[in-house]
Amino acid sequence: MNAFTLWKPEAVRITAGAQHVATFEKTAMSQRKYCAECGGHLIDQSSDTRLVDVFAATLPTLPFTPGVHVNYARRCCRCGMGCPN
């Protein structure tokens, strides 16, 4: 399970540890950035939406309220937060 936040690219910058950020690009549709030291996920930049997905856990001061559930091919767990699927 993952909590995500969406931002315009110009609103996102890495403020510490930029020298440890690596990029994985399986397809041209998305560039995933992660910490090369610990493997932790940081952001996912999608070329089709022109938005940056910043993992909510990396923003400890952001008041996060879930707004939607995203389900893929099959449900692996139930989320009882009352958000639309």
Side-chain angles (χ1 to χ4, degrees):
M1 201 177 297
N2 178 31
F4 63 90
T5 63
L6 297 175
W7 305 81
K8 292 181 180 182
E10 59 271 14
V12 177
R13 66 185 170 92
I14 295 172
T15 59
Q19 71 275 19
H20 301 297
V21 176
T23 302
F24 173 74
E25 187 173 343
K26 185 174 182 179
T27 70
M29 296 297 290
S30 137
Q31 298 77 42
R32 297 177 184 179
K33 298 196 182 293
Y34 63 95
C35 175
E37 293 276 298
C38 70
H41 301 278
L42 300 172
I43 64 175
D44 184 4
Q45 186 157 1
S46 177
S47 59
D48 62 337
T49 63
R50 294 181 184 88
L51 292 172
V52 178
D53 172 359
V54 179
F55 296 94
T58 66
L59 303 168
T61 60
L62 178 75
F64 181 78
T65 303
V68 65
H69 289 151
V70 178
N71 293 316
Y72 294 95
R74 62 186 172 85
R75 181 184 298 194
C76 62
C77 62
R78 274 203 190 276
C79 300
M81 292 182 260
C83 297
N85 288 327

